[in-house]
Amino acid sequence: MGAKNAVAIGLSGDERETLERWVRRRNISRAQAQRAEIVLLAADGANNCEIARSVGVTRQTARAWRERFARARLDGLSDEPRCGAPRHAQA
């Protein structure tokens, strides 16, 4: 079973600035900050195993967010609509 090469991530200055801001912000969801951190580590050359260990997610999760960012950039890191009742914002 061969390893699939990870998608290379390059960031514009604006994208990097936005992602770094998301990681630092207190009023953003933990999941959104985690996704930003995954992409920043990927852009800095970390592989999915390294990202998974650093961020505390599975390798598959690191790969999924890397690939979503590659496809849809910053918009790809937002939560997609889900079926069922909407989530309630926490105060």
Side-chain angles (χ1 to χ4, degrees), residues 19-89:
L19 291 168
E20 288 173 349
R21 189 170 55 245
W22 288 357
V23 168
R24 291 189 310 265
R25 278 177 59 186
R26 298 280 183 241
N27 63 343
I28 196 166
S29 75
R30 181 173 180 267
Q32 186 87 6
Q34 192 175 63
R35 293 169 199 161
E37 189 174 359
I38 289 168
V39 173
L40 287 167
L41 289 168
D44 290 342
N47 67 40
N48 292 334
C49 289
E50 294 166 335
I51 293 169
R53 273 193 302 274
S54 177
V55 179
V57 298
T58 66
R59 182 176 48 84
Q60 292 82 3
T61 297
R63 184 185 69 233
W65 288 112
R66 176 193 291 258
E67 290 175 356
R68 263 183 71 173
F69 180 82
R71 268 194 322 273
R73 309 310 290 179
L74 293 172
D75 289 341
L77 300 182
S78 299
D79 281 322
E80 292 181 337
R82 299 173 188 241
C83 58
R87 290 183 177 182
H88 296 284

